[in-house]
Amino acid sequence: MYDDFIFGEGDRAENSRAFVWDVTLTGADKNKVTERASEIESNPPRPGSVNVHNDSEVWKAESPSLGTGDTEALAKLFRNHMLGGATMPPSWFADGGDVNRANGEAMAEPTFKILAMRQRYIIYMLHEIATFVIRQYYTATLGQEPDRTIEADVFKSKVVMPEMTAKDISRYAAALQQVVVAVNLAITQGIITEETGLSVIASIADRLGVEIDPATELENVKTEIAQKAKDQAKADTFNAFDGADDDNADEAANEKTADKELTDDAE
């Protein structure tokens, strides 16, 4: 219906530019009118030409009066109903009326949710295909179906899609800094555990496209800190004394002093 409406408006716009010459002959009978009409049709006036006639002829250009009416309002009504059903904002279809950046972002949010839902469906399809291919390879190689409890990696294929929109990460970056400071303070005060605090940080990092497993990350951090401490101890120039060498050195010094005193006494 919308297509027919638009094509009809195009036809009306084209017809509205057309015109005909209305020629009135004064005191002419039917034969004279027919003869004069044949003359005009055989040699109609060209654009910019001059038409000369006597006072018995009256020439007048007649054009159709095809009012546009509420064409724009009707077209907008049609379009908005269709776009609403397709969850598309009007600003995406050259409707620039009363649209600014804030309004455009707010109107686009439902659209991106629908597109994200469709994207997840496609990801699910590709994940199933990838899992099937890996299963077939596993079966052809080992001659048996993989066990989900043992060969879990076979069923962990991951499909990564590009982001549909360029995120404004400046807000998330500022929020991440504030969250890290708040979490560090809460852990210092003993209000929350390290794993819970890292979970809070992970929720903000996920907005930046970084996935963090709190339990695994904490384990890796502890291992890394211990390794750094060992490396630092090896690189230190002044190592801490364990006391054993000091006692032996003092004992040797005392024995040397005693021997010297005995030697002096003997002399």
Side-chain angles (χ1 to χ4, degrees):
M1 187 180 295
Y2 183 73
D3 279 344
D4 292 341
F5 174 78
I6 293 299
F7 278 108
E9 288 302 311
D11 292 339
R12 182 167 68 172
E14 184 176 358
N15 293 332
S16 65
R17 295 193 300 269
F19 70 94
V20 295
W21 286 108
D22 180 83
V23 180
T24 302
L25 301 178
T26 303
D29 57 8
K30 183 177 180 180
N31 293 332
K32 186 64 175 177
V33 170
T34 302
E35 180 183 355
R36 183 57 178 153
S38 299
E39 292 176 359
I40 295 174
E41 289 175 357
S42 62
N43 188 25
R46 298 184 303 276
S49 62
V50 179
N51 182 39
V52 181
H53 58 84
N54 55 24
D55 58 356
S56 64
E57 282 186 10
V58 178
W59 286 64
K60 183 180 179 182
E62 295 286 355
S63 60
S65 178
L66 303 176
T68 57
D70 295 331
T71 302
E72 183 178 359
L74 289 174
K76 192 171 184 178
L77 177 67
F78 272 112
R79 188 172 62 250
N80 285 349
H81 275 80
M82 291 189 301
L83 296 178
T87 65
M88 297 291 178
S91 57
W92 286 19
F93 287 82
D95 187 359
D98 299 330
V99 176
N100 50 44
R101 181 175 181 179
N103 191 14
E105 290 180 354
M107 295 175 67
E109 184 176 356
T111 305
F112 283 123
K113 288 183 177 180
I114 295 296
L115 296 178
M117 180 181 67
R118 295 178 181 175
Q119 189 182 62
R120 287 194 299 270
Y121 184 72
I122 299 299
I123 290 175
Y124 170 77
M125 293 169 56
L126 296 177
H127 173 75
E128 288 295 309
I129 294 173
T131 303
F132 175 78
V133 172
I134 298 173
R135 282 179 49 237
Q136 294 304 308
Y137 174 79
Y138 187 94
T139 304
T141 305
L142 300 179
Q144 61 181 6
E145 277 282 344
D147 189 348
R148 286 182 178 271
T149 59
I150 302 175
E151 294 85 6
D153 291 339
V154 175
F155 304 92
K156 289 184 178 179
S157 58
K158 187 175 182 180
V159 179
V160 179
M161 290 277 190
E163 292 288 340
M164 287 184 291
T165 58
K167 291 183 179 179
D168 184 9
I169 64 173
S170 61
R171 295 178 298 177
Y172 299 127
L176 179 61
Q177 180 180 3
Q178 297 173 2
V179 167
V180 169
V181 173
V183 167
N184 186 30
L185 180 61
I187 293 175
T188 304
Q189 297 295 328
I191 300 175
I192 60 176
T193 63
E194 293 182 352
E195 185 171 353
T196 302
L198 189 56
S199 298
V200 176
I201 297 175
S203 63
I204 301 298
D206 184 62
R207 299 284 185 174
L208 298 173
V210 179
E211 295 183 3
I212 298 177
D213 183 11
T216 305
E217 193 69 18
L218 278 176
E219 188 66 27
N220 294 338
V221 167
K222 292 177 181 179
T223 304
E224 186 174 343
I225 292 175
Q227 185 62 39
K228 285 183 178 179
K230 291 181 181 179
D231 295 341
Q232 185 64 35
K234 291 180 181 179
D236 256 341
T237 305
F238 302 100
N239 293 319
F241 295 106
D242 56 5
D245 294 338
D246 292 346
D247 294 340
N248 294 333
D250 292 341
E251 186 176 351
N254 293 334
E255 290 179 356
K256 186 176 182 180
T257 303
D259 291 341
K260 187 176 184 305
E261 290 178 351
L262 291 173
T263 302
D264 292 341
D265 291 344
E267 291 177 351

